[in-house]
């Protein structure tokens, strides 16, 4: 049974020969008291071995925020916004941006994208309507397209239709991910400059949203909210030194495991992501400023 994860750092951790993998750069650093692990996949061969496209993947650890350290939320917003700005290519540093929150708002583990968009300050319409206040702001559009089962329209089709009107320089796509280990559930944020495939984490992959399909850079912001039950069972069996657990492999549908306090945790991390996006796109903003504009 394959180890199932959307996180590049876990995919590499699970490889027996990860240390000898060519054309993969890994780096650890601390930003505002938060640990950041970066993986850069530099060749197609390495991409095939790992199962992730070539590009940069940043894993932002939320431990300090979860411990409720002093000023943890403002520090986390500043750190995450800086990482986001660093992934935006030069041609997208100042142009219009489309922020899209992927997922189903009615299913809590899948609601992190729509909830994050609720905290994004949409400015595209205000620049013309209130020029005295917003003339120097970057045009930002915020979209929560829903899912195929709700709308009858593929997420990629909705995003492409909006792109034709908005003409953004970049797209920021927020989505829920699947982790391979319980210790990472709602404890990390993965940023990637490779785009994203909606639904891939739960085995329901739709059309990819990336620069090849959309024609503009796509920065993916993902949070692991579920662990595949079969992956978890096999991991437990392996750690105990017992035989592989086959019970969950025979299920017709995947079993997803999440946390007991998923409602609160999704709301907290979605707010963090929304605020960080605002600060990345408008570096002069503080947490207090965003509170004011969203109130």
């Amino acid at each position: 049974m394959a180890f199932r994860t959307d996180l590049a750092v876990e995919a590499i951790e699970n490889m027996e020969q990860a240390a000898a993998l060519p054309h993969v750069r890994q780096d650890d650093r601390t930003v505002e008291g938060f640990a950041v692990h970066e993986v850069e996949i530099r060749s197609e061969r390495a991409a095939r071995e790992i199962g992730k496209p070539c590009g940069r993947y940043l894993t932002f650890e939320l431990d300090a925020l979860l411990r409720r350290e002093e000023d943890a939320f403002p520090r986390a917003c500043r750190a995450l916004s800086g990482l986001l700005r660093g992934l935006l290519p030069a041609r997208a540093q100042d142009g219009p941006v489309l922020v899209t929150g992927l997922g189903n708002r009615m299913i809590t583990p899948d609601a992190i994208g729509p909830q994050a968009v609720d905290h994004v300050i949409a400015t595209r319409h205000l620049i013309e309507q209130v020029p005295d206040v917003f003339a120097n702001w970057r045009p930002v559009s915020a979209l929560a397209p829903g899912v195929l089962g709700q709308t009858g329209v593929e997420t990629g089709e909705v995003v492409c239709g909006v792109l034709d009107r908005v003409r953004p320089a970049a797209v920021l796509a927020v989505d829920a991910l699947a982790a391979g280990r319980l210790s990472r559930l709602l404890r990390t944020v993965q940023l990637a400059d490779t785009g994203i495939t909606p639904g891939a984490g739960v085995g329901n992959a739709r059309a990819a949203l990336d620069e090849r399909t959309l024609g503009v850079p796509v920065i993916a912001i993902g949070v692991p909210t579920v662990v595949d039950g079969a992956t978890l069972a096999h991991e437990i069996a392996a750690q105990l030194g017992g035989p592989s657990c086959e019970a969950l492999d025979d299920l017709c549908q995947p079993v997803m495991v999440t946390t007991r306090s998923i409602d609160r945790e999704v709301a907290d991390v979605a707010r963090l992501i929304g605020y960080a996006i605002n600060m990345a796109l408008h570096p002069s903003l503080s947490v207090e400023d965003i509170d004011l504009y969203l109130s």
Side-chain angles (χ1 to χ4, degrees), residues 53 102 154-157 159-160 163 173 194-200 204-215 218:
L102 308 176
E154 287 279 5
T155 299
E157 294 174 334
V159 174
C160 286
L163 282 177
T194 60
I196 199 164
T197 302
N204 187 31
R206 319 308 300 179
L209 303 179
D210 53 28
E211 187 166 6
R212 182 182 62 83
T213 59
L214 299 184
V218 179

Side-chain angles (χ1 to χ4, degrees), residues 11-240:
I12 291 176
E13 288 173 352
N14 198 56
M15 297 179 64
E16 293 181 359
Q17 303 298 324
L21 195 64
H23 309 298
V24 175
R25 180 182 67 85
Q26 298 191 67
D27 174 68
D28 289 290
R29 60 187 185 272
T30 301
V31 182
E32 295 273 0
F34 292 85
V36 179
H37 181 80
E38 179 171 355
V39 173
E40 184 177 5
I41 303 174
R42 296 175 168 176
S43 72
E44 292 298 332
R45 175 187 171 189
R48 287 193 299 270
E49 291 286 337
I50 298 170
K52 305 293 179 188
C54 291
R56 296 173 63 196
Y57 300 82
L58 306 179
T59 303
F60 181 73
E61 303 288 347
L62 300 177
D63 291 348
L65 183 64
L66 297 169
R67 290 193 297 267
R68 305 297 182 186
E69 293 182 3
E70 185 177 359
D71 296 328
F73 184 74
R75 289 191 288 113
C77 290
R78 291 194 298 269
L80 192 56
S81 66
L83 297 176
L84 274 172
R85 280 197 301 274
L87 284 179
L88 283 170
R91 67 182 186 276
Q93 286 294 327
D94 299 313
V97 169
L98 172 64
V99 182
T100 178
L102 308 176
N104 188 340
R105 189 184 293 273
M106 305 305 294
I107 300 176
T108 306
D110 197 32
I112 201 149
Q115 288 194 27
V117 165
D118 290 342
H119 298 288
V120 173
I121 302 172
T123 60
R124 178 174 175 264
H125 60 304
L126 297 173
I127 292 172
E128 292 185 3
Q129 295 178 5
V130 195
D132 292 344
V133 178
F134 293 97
N136 296 322
W137 289 53
R138 180 203 294 257
V140 175
S141 305
L143 172 69
V147 295
L148 180 65
Q150 294 173 314
T151 64
V153 184
E154 287 279 5
T155 299
E157 294 174 334
V158 177
V159 174
C160 286
V162 174
L163 282 177
D164 290 340
R165 303 292 298 181
V166 175
R167 304 287 184 182
V171 172
L172 303 183
V174 186
D175 200 6
L177 305 178
R181 297 182 174 91
L182 290 174
S183 60
R184 288 218 162 85
L185 286 187
L186 292 144
R187 300 296 189 270
T188 62
V189 179
Q190 177 176 271
L191 311 177
D193 62 2
T194 60
I196 199 164
T197 302
V202 294
N204 187 31
R206 319 308 300 179
L209 303 179
D210 53 28
E211 187 166 6
R212 182 182 62 83
T213 59
L214 299 184
V216 297
V218 179
I219 307 301
I221 307 165
V223 179
T225 60
V226 296
V227 173
D228 176 66
T231 295
L232 178 61
H234 282 286
E235 283 291 292
I236 293 173
Q239 290 181 22
L240 294 175

Side-chain angles (χ1 to χ4, degrees), residues 1-2 229-235 237 242-251:
M1 178 235 165
T231 295
L232 178 61
H234 282 286
E235 283 291 292
S244 179
C245 176
E246 304 294 339
L248 293 179
D249 286 341
D250 296 330
L251 293 175

Side-chain angles (χ1 to χ4, degrees), residues 232-287:
L232 178 61
H234 282 286
E235 283 291 292
I236 293 173
Q239 290 181 22
L240 294 175
S244 179
C245 176
E246 304 294 339
L248 293 179
D249 286 341
D250 296 330
L251 293 175
C252 296
Q253 297 292 331
V255 171
M256 294 297 164
V257 179
T258 192
T259 67
R260 182 178 61 181
S261 52
I262 183 70
D263 300 78
R264 176 184 55 79
E265 292 174 321
V266 163
D268 289 347
V269 179
R271 178 172 178 254
L272 166 65
I273 291 173
Y275 276 51
I277 289 172
N278 290 323
M279 294 169 72
L281 301 180
H282 309 288
S284 63
L285 289 179
S286 66
V287 168

